[in-house]
Amino acid sequence: MCASKSKGSGVETQDVAAASVAVPSRLQDTRIAVIGNVDSGKTTMVGVLTSGKLDDGRGAARSHIFRHEHERATGRTSCASRHIMGFDEKMDPVYLSLTENATTKQKNVAWQKVVDKSNRIISFNDLAGHERYLKTTLAGLTGSFPDYAMVVVGANMGVSHMTLEHITAACAMNIPIFVVVTKVDMCPEKVLCSTLKALIAHLRSAKCGKKKTMLMKKRGRISQVLATDPGLTRFCPIFLCSAVSGQNVDMILSFLSQLRSAKDWDAPAPESKDQRTVFVVGETYTVKGVGTVLAGTVTHGRVTVGQKLCLGPFSDGSHKTLTIRSIQMKRVPVSDAIAGEGCCVSIRFKNAREKVDREHIRRGMVLVDENHVPKPVTRFKAQVSVLHHATTIRVNYEAVLQCGNLSQLVVVEKMSQQQIRGGDVAEITCRFKLHPEFLNIGARLILREGNPRCVGRVMDVVG
């Protein structure tokens, strides 16, 4: 099958088969968002970790990672892309074998082999580093529901402004982080020391929650850190490596093999008949011979083939009933997906005469079961902390809300204080400016004007 270009952050379309098969046992899937400044070596490091082949110093390792020709020409990522590797029962890595110009069918076969041979999966979400694509990076950081963020820093480049922005945003969203300092084989020792000093100073600052940093010089330290802090809520490991010489790449693989997801998902009860189901839409596709396909994450309950769900809210606040035709996870057909799992679903609307174009389905919309259709949210209350702002924030302040996959302009209608500035904490009431959305109480959020301005949490929602 061939597919059209996706609407969303740009993750490559996965073919959705008409039939689905049950998975023998659920693989443990640890999702890692890869962030850092442009030219720091993020995509190259992902290529080395997923393929098991070192780089030649000219970008060979990243050749099968890039999705577009202009990315190969410039050597810079402009959209999010997902890549996997696995670990078998003996904790040995299972690599993804792909060529530079692999077709969709070849990629499906390669992913299938990794899934079949693995006991657990590591999913990398490679995000853009250039400031021009910060919006895409923040959307990928919040919308992919990562378990961890891997911050890649070029040893010879120092700690740039965008690196600090990425780290601060990840910490503000309570995403555990670890750091990979690359290109240490070509970096003078004095420059490396300066980079590490600036990096550690920022990680130990209040903006990052005063992280405890530890240089991973020996494998024994990996077990020590993970035994003390399995979810990396307090510690931030730092690895010094090279994608060309292979220095400490094996140590990173050993670390990844021991990482476990610390998220507490609302998994379905074994015999529950009235289980709430929520699937958050991240992207939409049109696949030839299949129709409309939605990619996203199950955040509550279970999605099964043949299940009737409601999609919304649309611009008018309505929800439309549909049926799940098939499901794919990691390019493999499955019969169901439970909370915490990302997947693609092909859908068929109940009312065939009611045509719904793919352009009408937005990121942040949800699939919910018919018994738990939520009211569309037009206003919400949030507690926010101002990161940095040149002036003061007052009533009628406008910014873009980033909350999970949702991204829309909001207007501040009420504030607990007359004005707030950098470092202040306040309760605010905001109104969506364009159309109603779906929001969960307790969800983490970012208010941005290009760069993030405020971070916080949803306290209450108003229909």
Side-chain angles (χ1 to χ4, degrees):
M1 302 179 191
C2 57
S4 67
K5 186 178 179 181
S6 69
K7 174 187 174 184
S9 62
V11 180
E12 188 163 344
T13 302
Q14 303 174 2
D15 289 350
V16 180
S20 296
V21 296
V23 178
S25 61
R26 296 201 174 273
L27 292 175
Q28 299 179 35
D29 185 13
T30 303
R31 286 179 284 195
I32 299 176
V34 184
I35 56 178
N37 189 44
V38 64
D39 297 333
S40 59
K42 299 185 300 298
T43 305
T44 298
M45 182 53 60
V46 171
V48 169
L49 293 175
T50 56
S51 69
K53 300 177 182 178
L54 296 178
D55 188 46
D56 61 355
R58 296 180 178 85
R62 68 190 183 197
S63 60
H64 69 280
I65 301 293
F66 287 137
R67 298 185 58 247
H68 303 293
E69 286 301 326
H70 71 266
E71 291 180 329
R72 293 189 178 93
T74 61
R76 294 179 175 178
T77 300
S78 62
C79 64
S81 59
R82 294 191 181 112
H83 312 276
I84 65 170
M85 65 168 297
F87 291 95
D88 59 21
E89 295 180 355
K90 298 180 180 179
M91 294 297 215
D92 293 329
V94 179
Y95 296 116
L96 188 66
S97 179
L98 285 174
T99 59
E100 180 177 347
N101 297 313
T103 63
T104 301
K105 184 176 180 180
Q106 290 171 332
K107 291 178 181 179
N108 290 346
V109 172
W111 281 52
Q112 175 81 65
K113 289 181 179 178
V114 172
V115 171
D116 290 342
K117 296 178 182 179
S118 300
N119 190 41
R120 52 188 309 272
I121 296 290
I122 301 292
S123 300
F124 294 100
N125 192 13
D126 185 25
L127 302 174
H130 198 284
E131 187 170 6
R132 180 187 307 169
Y133 307 115
L134 181 59
K135 172 185 173 182
T136 302
T137 300
L138 289 177
L141 190 60
T142 60
S144 62
F145 302 96
D147 298 301
Y148 302 92
M150 181 173 78
V151 184
V152 180
V153 180
N156 60 334
M157 299 171 61
V159 182
S160 67
H161 169 69
M162 283 311 301
T163 300
L164 299 180
E165 287 281 358
H166 289 182
I167 293 175
T168 302
C171 292
M173 299 300 293
N174 279 351
I175 302 174
I177 64 174
F178 62 95
V179 180
V180 174
V181 180
T182 61
K183 307 179 184 180
V184 295
D185 57 329
M186 59 180 289
C187 180
E189 185 175 350
K190 186 176 180 179
V191 176
L192 176 60
C193 290
S194 176
T195 299
L196 289 175
K197 185 177 179 179
L199 180 64
I200 292 173
H202 184 69
L203 291 170
R204 290 179 177 177
S205 68
K207 290 182 179 180
C208 298
K210 299 182 179 180
K211 297 282 187 183
K212 297 180 180 179
T213 58
M214 181 177 289
L215 286 175
M216 299 288 104
K217 296 181 179 180
K218 298 180 181 179
R219 290 202 181 200
R221 288 194 173 186
I222 296 175
S223 302
Q224 180 184 349
V225 169
L226 294 178
T228 306
D229 186 17
L232 298 184
T233 56
R234 293 178 290 115
F235 281 88
C236 178
I238 301 176
F239 298 88
L240 306 181
C241 70
S242 169
V244 176
S245 68
Q247 178 181 339
N248 289 336
V249 170
D250 59 337
M251 193 177 297
I252 298 175
L253 290 171
S254 177
F255 172 75
L256 293 175
S257 70
Q258 299 177 56
L259 272 185
R260 298 293 184 272
S261 173
K263 284 184 179 293
D264 185 19
W265 294 98
D266 183 18
E271 298 180 358
S272 175
K273 295 182 180 180
D274 189 30
Q275 177 69 45
R276 180 191 180 205
T277 297
V278 179
F279 172 91
V280 182
V281 177
E283 299 173 54
T284 65
Y285 308 110
T286 298
V287 180
K288 185 178 180 180
V290 176
T292 302
V293 174
L294 309 180
T297 304
V298 183
T299 59
H300 298 274
R302 182 194 306 270
V303 174
T304 60
V305 173
Q307 185 178 11
K308 291 185 178 180
L309 297 173
C310 296
L311 175 64
F314 285 85
S315 298
D316 60 357
S318 66
H319 288 73
K320 301 185 187 301
T321 305
L322 53 80
T323 302
I324 303 298
R325 298 177 59 199
S326 62
I327 305 174
Q328 274 198 358
M329 284 196 299
K330 303 289 184 288
R331 298 177 181 261
V332 179
V334 296
S335 60
D336 65 354
I338 65 172
E341 296 180 337
C343 61
C344 291
V345 299
S346 66
I347 61 174
R348 180 177 61 248
F349 285 95
K350 180 180 179 180
N351 189 349
R353 297 179 180 178
E354 186 178 39
K355 186 177 180 181
V356 179
D357 293 331
R358 183 168 64 91
E359 288 71 21
H360 295 156
I361 304 175
R362 310 182 309 274
R363 290 170 54 92
M365 293 176 71
V366 291
L367 288 173
V368 294
D369 58 287
E370 296 175 304
N371 297 326
H372 298 88
V373 177
K375 291 183 178 180
V377 176
T378 56
R379 290 176 174 81
F380 63 92
K381 295 179 181 179
Q383 185 179 61
V384 298
S385 173
V386 184
L387 294 177
H388 41 69
H389 205 283
T391 58
T392 57
I393 296 177
R394 299 184 176 90
V395 172
N396 293 325
Y397 169 73
E398 296 185 4
V400 176
L401 170 71
Q402 196 76 53
C403 183
N405 282 310
L406 188 161
S407 180
Q408 190 186 150
L409 188 66
V410 297
V411 182
V412 177
E413 291 189 329
K414 297 180 182 179
M415 296 174 58
S416 59
Q417 305 174 28
Q418 287 188 348
Q419 59 186 32
I420 53 177
R421 299 186 180 187
D424 291 344
V425 178
E427 290 188 4
I428 62 175
T429 300
C430 296
R431 171 177 55 86
F432 287 112
K433 195 166 184 180
L434 302 178
H435 40 69
E437 297 281 6
F438 170 83
L439 270 182
N440 263 328
I441 295 176
R444 305 287 295 187
L445 60 85
I446 293 177
L447 293 178
R448 61 175 178 83
E449 293 179 62
N451 293 340
R453 300 301 186 188
C454 304
V455 296
R457 187 184 297 273
V458 178
M459 307 298 290
D460 194 12
V461 295
V462 182

